[in-house]
């Protein structure tokens, strides 16, 4: 959802810069170090040329929802521009079916959307086969929306406990997609709750710290990333504010076609 307080320039590079400016401003307001907030440019449904344009503007992390789209873009970019391909990382952020896990091992820096223990077990199995490890986040349905994937806040402790026994997984933190809203302030309590949940897991030793020593909090999208940053987000996943509107709605829940 475009935030209409901010007029949107019509090229990807300018929009990417604008999002970065807004991230820096949100960090300043909340006394946070901008280096602790990673911008993931969500390129789903957009062509590879859009990914390359964002790269030119400085984007290095890209998020995709569908395994096939992600691996196709990676393969195509490797053909067109190996140097760009080597200079970016990919994040899987959409609902993931167990039979699609294999091709993600070694291909993505992190899987944000681990929403069942059986999916975690599948990632463990495939990572072990390929003698690799995978960084994962547990997805939490923090507002308990019936249409959404993710653990309930109550179930996330036992899930994290189960994952801690899977030696090829590295649980780095939590991810959520807050409700669609016109007023991002209404999502502030959800972001705060996810932060508290991550702190509680971290204190129990169930989340391994990332590079900066903190748990990862992947929260905040085009409509609400500034509020998410004020509440501690360390990764924001921004699509339409960078790449423009998509022809179909963001994947915010059960999509019968996948
Ligand atoms: C599509 C999507 C985003 C980006 O949404 P925008 O509102 O376009 O910024 C972020 N996270 C997930 C899980 C998504 O599916």
């Amino acid at each position: 959802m475009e935030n209409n307080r901010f007029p949107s320039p019509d090229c990807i590079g300018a929009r990417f810069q604008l999002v970065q400016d807004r991230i820096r401003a949100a960090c300043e307001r909340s006394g946070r170090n901008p280096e602790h907030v990673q911008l993931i440019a969500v390129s789903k449904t957009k062509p590879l040329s859009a990914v390359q344009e964002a790269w030119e503007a400085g984007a290095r992390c890209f998020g995709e929802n569908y395994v096939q789209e992600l691996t196709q873009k990676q393969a195509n970019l490797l053909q067109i521009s190996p140097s760009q391909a080597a200079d970016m990382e990919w994040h899987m952020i959409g609902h993931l079916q167990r039979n699609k896990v294999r091709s993600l091992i070694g291909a993505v820096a992190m899987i944000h959307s681990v929403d069942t223990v059986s999916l975690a077990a599948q990632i463990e199995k495939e990572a072990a086969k390929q003698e690799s490890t995978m960084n994962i986040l547990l997805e939490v349905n923090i507002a308990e929306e019936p249409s959404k994937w993710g653990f309930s806040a109550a179930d996330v402790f036992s899930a994290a406990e189960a994952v801690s026994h899977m030696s090829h997984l590295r649980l780095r933190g939590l991810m959520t997609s807050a409700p669609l809203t016109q007023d991002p302030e209404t999502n502030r309590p959800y972001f705060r709750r996810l932060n508290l949940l991550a702190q509680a897991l971290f204190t129990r030793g169930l989340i391994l710290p990332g590079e900066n020593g903190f748990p990862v909090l992947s929260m905040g999208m085009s409509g609400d990333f500034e509020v998410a940053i004020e509440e501690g987000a360390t990764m924001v996943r921004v699509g339409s504010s960078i790449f423009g509107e998509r022809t179909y709605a963001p994947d915010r829940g059960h999509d019968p076609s996948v």
Side-chain angles (χ1 to χ4, degrees):
M1 180 180 38
E2 234 11 279
N3 189 328
N4 55 20
R5 285 180 298 147
F6 296 89
S8 178
D10 59 7
C11 89
I12 288 172
R15 284 193 298 252
F16 179 78
Q17 290 302 335
L18 188 62
V19 168
Q20 281 205 311
D21 291 344
R22 289 169 59 188
I23 289 173
R24 269 192 291 273
C27 285
E28 209 155 288
R29 275 199 300 282
S30 50
R32 299 195 52 211
N33 181 347
E35 284 172 19
H36 294 169
V37 180
Q38 194 174 7
L39 171 56
I40 298 175
V42 178
S43 48
K44 65 181 177 211
T45 80
K46 300 296 177 180
L48 190 56
S49 59
V51 170
Q52 292 185 284
E53 245 183 285
W55 184 89
E56 296 288 348
R60 292 297 180 268
C61 299
F62 293 87
E64 289 283 342
N65 282 52
Y66 301 105
V67 173
Q68 196 179 338
E69 188 177 347
L70 189 157
T71 51
Q72 197 66 59
K73 278 177 183 160
Q74 283 184 326
N76 292 348
L77 190 63
L78 200 57
Q79 292 268 314
I80 300 168
S81 174
S83 59
Q84 277 184 343
D87 189 36
M88 55 175 72
E89 65 178 45
W90 294 86
H91 292 245
M92 176 63 192
I93 64 171
H95 177 66
L96 176 56
Q97 289 174 306
R98 290 170 52 193
N99 63 3
K100 303 266 177 64
V101 165
R102 182 171 306 157
S103 45
L104 290 181
I105 309 296
V108 296
M110 187 174 275
I111 299 175
H112 293 225
S113 41
V114 177
D115 52 12
T116 59
V117 171
S118 69
L119 176 62
Q122 186 70 26
I123 301 169
E124 164 68 14
K125 191 172 133 193
E126 294 295 343
K129 258 194 229 164
Q130 300 184 37
E131 297 181 357
S132 182
T133 58
M134 180 58 79
N135 292 311
I136 66 161
L137 305 177
L138 295 180
E139 179 169 358
V140 183
N141 182 1
I142 198 72
E144 316 237 325
E145 294 172 274
S147 64
K148 272 202 186 143
W149 305 104
F151 294 99
S152 70
D155 289 344
V156 82
F157 289 91
S158 63
E161 165 68 26
V163 165
S164 72
H165 301 292
M166 301 179 187
S167 60
H168 298 81
L169 302 187
R170 304 283 178 267
L171 179 59
R172 299 295 181 189
L174 301 179
M175 177 271 216
T176 201
S177 295
L180 248 179
T181 172
Q182 295 297 320
D183 176 10
E185 281 300 326
T186 61
N187 282 339
R188 188 181 294 277
Y190 297 127
F191 295 139
R192 192 167 291 176
R193 205 174 296 165
L194 194 77
N195 192 340
L196 290 172
L197 208 50
Q199 294 302 330
L201 291 164
F202 187 55
T203 304
R204 294 180 196 196
L206 293 170
I207 288 177
L208 305 165
E211 279 164 32
N212 58 28
F214 301 116
V216 171
L217 275 174
S218 171
M219 57 188 195
M221 305 165 56
S222 289
D224 56 18
F225 68 88
E226 287 143 310
V227 172
I229 289 169
E230 288 166 12
E231 295 302 329
T234 69
M235 289 183 181
V236 291
R237 310 180 308 268
V238 179
S240 51
S241 287
I242 295 172
F243 294 106
E245 294 296 329
R246 287 176 300 270
T247 48
Y248 64 79
D251 174 20
R252 287 173 181 274
H254 297 253
D255 179 344
S257 71
V258 295

